[in-house]
Amino acid sequence: MSHIKVGRTVFVTGASRGIGFEISSALLTSGFQVVGVARKLTDDYARLQESHGGRAGFLEADLGSRAGTHAVAKRIRACADLYGLVNNAGVAVGGLHAGLPQDDMDSMITVNLMAPMVLSQAAIKAMSRRKSGRVVNISSICAQRPYRGLGVYTATKAALEGFTRVLATEAGAWGITVNCVAPGFVDTHMSSGIDETTRQRILRRGMLPHETTSADVASVVDFLLSPAASAVTAEVLRVDGGAAA
């Protein structure tokens, strides 16, 4: 479904694989120009570029570093036709909090929370000039339901949801919407370390026989960037089959 003309650009972080890749693909199909941000270009994203010509850009950056984040922020501020920002990049390191190394804590806080806040600041400045725009932050079911071994990851996502609501109040005067999408369990590289017993236990928490996919999450993001969501802001839309209800 194409709902927007070429010429409006959306930056998608963590775009090279998993949910970010599906979001990029869905937005390109809907007619957006997309700038994917990731640490390295994957074969899948390269093929996406080939199939969509000049509408699929790529920016190599490590959002785990201040320099990488600020380099992306600079590109966002300079984008004359910026329409959207999807803060999808994330890091999850499991382990009981009593034994979690501080380096792992720092990594999750930097990528999952600081990077979205810095990039959102740049995006709001650029969007305010056009009096329109969309920011979508990718949260997690963890912010609604506790999971052992994911304390810091959960803290970053809960903070991201709070930040989203406040930013929505600040950006609304410029016609900018700010929302969260909170996926449930999705089979991605990030979740590949979960054993099958745990995976099945998580899946049983859902109300539906349908297993949530990256494409399901991408469809909701696509909706939030569409004209149909013009009056939706400061919301957290869960895509989890009812697991956190």
Side-chain angles (χ1 to χ4, degrees), residues 155-175:
T156 64
K157 294 303 185 178
L160 185 63
E161 292 186 5
F163 169 72
T164 296
R165 287 188 288 269
V166 174
L167 187 61
T169 69
E170 297 177 353
W174 292 304

Side-chain angles (χ1 to χ4, degrees), residues 73-215:
K74 184 177 180 179
R75 285 285 299 272
I76 289 173
R77 285 194 301 270
C79 184
D81 66 343
L82 181 69
Y83 176 74
L85 168 65
V86 182
N87 286 306
N88 165 76
V91 174
V93 180
L96 295 181
H97 190 67
L100 192 66
Q102 187 170 338
D103 284 349
D104 289 337
M105 298 184 208
D106 291 341
S107 175
M108 286 185 277
I109 292 169
T110 298
V111 176
N112 300 351
L113 185 57
M114 286 303 302
M117 290 195 293
V118 172
L119 299 186
S120 294
Q121 184 181 62
I124 295 300
K125 289 179 179 178
M127 293 172 181
S128 65
R129 296 193 294 265
R130 297 169 60 92
K131 305 298 183 185
S132 68
R134 308 289 172 89
V135 176
V136 178
N137 296 318
I138 303 302
S139 180
S140 168
I141 187 178
C142 292
Q144 307 292 324
R145 182 166 184 163
Y147 288 84
R148 280 172 56 86
L150 291 174
V152 175
Y153 177 77
T154 296
T156 64
K157 294 303 185 178
L160 185 63
E161 292 186 5
F163 169 72
T164 296
R165 287 188 288 269
V166 174
L167 187 61
T169 69
E170 297 177 353
W174 292 304
I176 302 166
T177 68
V178 188
N179 292 287
C180 264
V181 175
F185 178 83
V186 177
D187 271 325
T188 64
H189 177 77
M190 184 183 293
S191 61
S192 60
I194 296 176
D195 63 84
E196 185 59 24
T197 300
T198 302
R199 179 180 178 276
Q200 290 301 322
R201 186 171 67 249
I202 292 171
L203 292 175
R204 285 195 294 271
R205 293 174 178 170
M207 299 177 181
L208 302 173
H210 171 74
E211 185 174 333
T212 304
T213 67
S214 296

Side-chain angles (χ1 to χ4, degrees), residues 134 177 179 220-233 237:
R134 308 289 172 89
T177 68
N179 292 287
V220 175
V221 174
D222 189 39
F223 160 71
L224 288 172
L225 269 71
S226 75
S230 296
V232 180
T233 197
L237 302 185

Side-chain angles (χ1 to χ4, degrees), residues 15 19-31 34 45 48 52 218:
I19 291 174
F21 176 82
E22 290 294 341
I23 290 171
S24 299
S25 181
L27 296 181
L28 286 163
T29 299
S30 291
V34 172
Y45 197 90
L48 195 64
H52 290 279

